Amino acid sequence: MSSSPRFDRGHTDDLMAFLMASPSPYHAVASAAARLEKAGFRQVEETAAWDGTTGGKYVLRGGAIVAWYVPEGAGAHTPFRIAGAHTDSPNLRVKPLPDSGAYGWRQIAVEIYGGTLLNTWLDRDLGLAGRISLRDGSDRLVSIDRPLLRVPQLAVHLDRSANTDGLKLDRQKHMQPIWGLGDVEEGDLIRFVAEEAGVDAEDITGWDLMPHPVEPPSYLGRDRELVAGPRMDNLLSVHAATAALAAVAGQPDAELPYIPVMAAFDHEENGSQSDTGADGPLLGTVLERSVFARGGGYEDRARAFAGTVCLSSDTGHAIHPNYAERHDPTHHPVVNGGPILKVNVNMRYATDGSGRSAFAAACEKAGVPWQTFVSNNAMPCGTTIGPITAARHGIKTVDIGVAILSMHSARELCGADDPYLLANALAAFLAG
């Protein structure tokens, strides 16, 4: 039996604000944490002793966040319901020695992060964001959200074959942004960032900085039925999971048979192998400590994990009208058709038949339509945090998401209804 929807188009409006406020994974988790704080959650430090009190809690580590809500009456062996996602997007990252240039142009040395569509970063107004690490051991977020950088494309007069033989970009030579004129000065970029952040350049001992498009997200189409914006892969899912967890935490505890969890990891786009990635111990450690803080032991931990289900939410491919032959001939996910169930029998996605049932039940409860995605057999299938979560923690995991176009572009495209349809499905799932 379906329940009344929790979210509507206002959720999509808020997603656009979330995207603008989250130009880096570090900003994304800060944005998610701020929303959870408004819902009554409180941060717990990993280095502190945890207690077994009820209520909403969250852990921040770099570009990752894990949040959970313990209802009244939850036992040490109470299973979890997890909405998983990732905070990183393919982009450009500033190198350790960033000051570069030639022929009177001042440039920034960048490295390619993840499987970005390089051409989509050409001729865009780019800001700079991320975090700086200070001499006292603290970190500080920085966001220069104005036109600062640009990766200029070669004029067609100097590349006559660009429109016939295809644009060919050298990842090292052709992707270095310009940011001014003059001689190259060592330390210039960090001095500039320090001034913007209001700190002394000598106090900055490390940085994780990345360019970002400054053009805001916008509604698109005759009836504003589409949304164009940056970093939808996968901040769309992070935002939906955050909203769903906050909503579920606001309902009566007696209605929660599980402990709802939101886990958003960094570094999915390059394999998840880091202390903040899904292939690291963060999620398992948080869940175990929650069990132990409530007086449980190993047996309770095993029972809780055995009854736990995770929905791994990441964007997927909508049918592309100009490249329909690249898709499976019988599976055609469309935008605004509801979230997609992602299936691959070789376990590039973690979904199986019983997982499909869990997802279908959540969508039915929320009154949300859903679709199925399968890759064309002739095309390699991507993957997500889903199989990693399932294998590392022994947790039943189901891969889902929202169908989009222009995946891994600097600016992606989704349906305006799908973000809130996903959030409603996640809320129904987390509530059990």
Side-chain angles (χ1 to χ4, degrees), residues 7 36 39 41 56-58 66-69 81 83 239-251 256 259-263 423 426-427 430:
F7 305 106
L36 292 173
F41 284 68
K57 306 171 187 180
Y58 68 90
V66 180
W68 65 103
Y69 181 82
R81 281 287 179 102
H239 177 255
T242 303
L245 178 61
V248 169
Q251 71 185 47
L256 294 177
I259 295 173
V261 180
M262 184 273 285
L426 290 178
L430 292 177

Side-chain angles (χ1 to χ4, degrees), residues 180-241:
L181 302 173
D183 297 331
V184 178
E185 298 181 25
E186 185 177 352
D188 199 21
L189 177 67
I190 298 307
R191 284 192 292 270
F192 172 77
V193 170
E195 183 177 350
E196 291 286 323
V199 301
D200 292 332
E202 293 77 13
D203 287 336
I204 298 178
T205 55
W207 55 86
D208 300 281
L209 299 170
M210 56 204 74
H212 66 277
V214 298
E215 182 183 4
S218 61
Y219 285 106
L220 184 77
R222 185 191 66 180
D223 299 318
R224 292 166 56 89
E225 66 265 51
L226 303 169
V227 173
R231 300 177 295 280
M232 291 186 184
D233 180 10
N234 186 33
L235 295 188
L236 189 158
S237 295
V238 175
H239 177 255

Side-chain angles (χ1 to χ4, degrees), residues 96-261:
L97 299 176
D99 299 294
S100 179
Y103 306 104
W105 294 100
R106 294 161 68 190
Q107 294 176 276
I108 302 301
V110 297
E111 189 173 1
I112 311 302
Y113 178 85
T116 186
L117 284 168
L118 297 179
N119 64 294
T120 67
W121 287 83
L122 302 179
D123 297 334
R124 288 188 181 273
D125 295 338
L126 304 174
L128 191 68
R131 68 177 180 182
I132 52 177
S133 298
L134 304 181
R135 194 174 300 279
D136 62 6
S138 65
D139 294 325
R140 182 173 300 191
L141 298 184
V142 60
S143 179
I144 305 168
D145 197 30
R146 65 177 186 273
L148 179 68
L149 309 169
R150 183 182 176 95
V151 183
Q153 187 170 185
L154 186 64
V156 70
H157 313 80
L158 304 178
D159 187 7
R160 296 288 183 176
S161 64
N163 290 328
T164 55
D165 297 338
L167 180 65
K168 296 179 176 62
L169 294 171
D170 184 289
R171 294 163 66 90
Q172 177 61 42
K173 294 191 299 182
H174 299 154
M175 297 305 297
Q176 308 307 309
I178 61 172
W179 76 306
L181 302 173
D183 297 331
V184 178
E185 298 181 25
E186 185 177 352
D188 199 21
L189 177 67
I190 298 307
R191 284 192 292 270
F192 172 77
V193 170
E195 183 177 350
E196 291 286 323
V199 301
D200 292 332
E202 293 77 13
D203 287 336
I204 298 178
T205 55
W207 55 86
D208 300 281
L209 299 170
M210 56 204 74
H212 66 277
V214 298
E215 182 183 4
S218 61
Y219 285 106
L220 184 77
R222 185 191 66 180
D223 299 318
R224 292 166 56 89
E225 66 265 51
L226 303 169
V227 173
R231 300 177 295 280
M232 291 186 184
D233 180 10
N234 186 33
L235 295 188
L236 189 158
S237 295
V238 175
H239 177 255
T242 303
L245 178 61
V248 169
Q251 71 185 47
D253 283 3
E255 298 179 7
L256 294 177
Y258 302 98
I259 295 173
V261 180

Side-chain angles (χ1 to χ4, degrees), residues 259-344:
I259 295 173
V261 180
M262 184 273 285
F265 304 98
D266 202 352
H267 302 128
E268 188 275 344
E269 297 293 356
N270 59 12
S272 295
Q273 292 185 324
S274 70
D275 70 320
T276 53
D279 203 19
L282 179 59
L283 176 61
T285 299
V286 169
L287 298 184
E288 288 177 349
R289 291 185 69 178
S290 175
V291 169
F292 299 154
R294 284 177 279 119
Y298 181 82
E299 182 71 11
D300 297 294
R301 180 261 189 214
R303 292 174 65 189
F305 277 42
T308 292
V309 182
C310 173
L311 290 189
S312 162
S313 182
D314 202 346
T315 55
H317 302 293
I319 181 74
H320 197 302
N322 299 338
Y323 302 90
E325 72 281 359
R326 303 296 182 96
H327 298 266
D328 182 82
T330 58
H331 295 77
H332 296 158
V334 296
V335 298
N336 287 335
I340 57 174
L341 179 75
K342 302 161 84 169
V343 178
N344 178 262

Side-chain angles (χ1 to χ4, degrees), residues 81 309 311 353-363 396 398 429:
R81 281 287 179 102
V309 182
L311 290 189
S354 63
R356 173 190 172 106
S357 296
F359 174 65
C363 289
K396 179 176 288 297
V398 188
F429 168 76

